[in-house]
Amino acid sequence: MTTIGVLALQGDFREHREVLERLDVCTREVRVPRELEGLAGLILPGGESTTIAKLMRTSRLLEPLRALAARGFAIWGTCAGMILLAKRLDATGIPALEAMDIGVQRNAFGRQVDSFEADVPIPNLGELPFHAVFIRAPIIAEVGPKVEILARLADGTPVAAREGHLLATAFHPELTPDTRFHQFFVEVARNTLSHS
Ligand code: GLN
């Protein structure tokens, strides 16, 4: 049975669990290193990335997670979680896993459009666009050569990307009824598992 963990230090981890449960996927909240054992993948939720980065250090999760990411363990970061995954951050960010070859700019949409929603085409998920909720969202400012951009806003800004076993979204699929992105991550995690 595949179990997907959700980092539960701060942020909207419960919403992620609920979506996975709707998909009949076994889930586990992760707060300490031993809770990483036996997982097929881990979701880093939205929240406040600087707080989560600090809590990752104090809970001693940072080093085991860095090691797992380097070994090909599937990790998906949504919003703050994307910041935690990124190798490069703007000056306001606290580096955490530094696993995914992307540069991220925090709070990139400024005050007027702090939060907004947009229907974003994501060909990997099928024809129907994905209703994406952005909350004080970061953007993917630049990507390395092995990173595939999965979604862009109408102006071309990349807002979802994949680098093998790593997934990042600037928006929050856990806040909509659409389960396709979670299903996609579960498949990435299962495939990674069967090839490792
Ligand atoms: N602005 C937050 C940060 O930089 C991210 C917001 C979110 O996860 N919704 O950490």
Side-chain angles (χ1 to χ4, degrees):
M1 176 81 134
T2 311
T3 304
I4 301 287
V6 185
L7 186 72
L9 300 173
Q10 192 264 341
D12 72 339
F13 52 89
R14 285 183 195 86
E15 286 79 356
H16 275 291
R17 277 200 74 173
E18 281 164 20
V19 183
L20 291 169
E21 278 160 14
R22 253 186 283 145
L23 291 170
D24 278 330
V25 173
C26 203
T27 70
R28 184 194 303 155
E29 292 182 5
V30 173
R31 295 187 181 81
V32 293
R34 72 179 149 73
E35 287 165 340
L36 292 169
E37 276 166 35
L39 295 179
L42 181 73
I43 296 178
L44 312 175
E48 181 53 45
S49 60
T50 51
T51 305
I52 303 177
K54 284 179 197 154
L55 292 172
M56 274 175 146
R57 284 186 174 77
T58 52
S59 60
R60 301 190 184 283
L61 278 164
L62 185 62
E63 287 313 317
L65 272 176
R66 278 172 172 261
L68 280 170
R71 284 206 332 247
F73 176 71
I75 305 181
W76 172 24
T78 60
C79 201
M82 173 169 99
I83 299 167
L84 298 166
L85 264 185
K87 277 196 175 155
R88 294 172 294 284
L89 299 179
D90 68 87
T92 69
I94 299 184
L97 298 185
E98 297 175 284
M100 189 168 178
D101 196 8
I102 55 175
V104 167
Q105 192 192 334
R106 295 180 63 213
N107 303 321
F109 294 99
R111 284 218 183 123
Q112 284 96 348
V113 283
D114 253 355
S115 302
F116 64 98
E117 302 186 10
D119 287 322
V120 181
I122 308 183
N124 299 57
L125 301 186
E127 264 179 40
L128 210 64
F130 198 91
H131 189 69
V133 178
F134 294 83
I135 304 169
R136 300 197 68 217
I139 55 161
I140 302 170
E142 41 93 12
V143 300
K146 292 191 187 137
V147 176
E148 178 192 357
I149 292 171
L150 301 178
R152 295 179 186 272
L153 293 179
D155 69 0
T157 307
V159 290
R162 173 178 185 183
E163 184 184 2
H165 59 293
L166 305 172
L167 279 186
T169 50
F171 52 91
H172 291 270
E174 74 282 13
L175 299 183
T176 55
D178 193 334
T179 56
R180 285 179 295 163
F181 222 109
H182 286 77
Q183 184 68 52
F184 182 64
F185 178 64
V186 172
E187 280 156 28
V188 168
R190 284 189 176 135
N191 286 331
T192 311
L193 206 63
S194 59
H195 291 107
S196 60

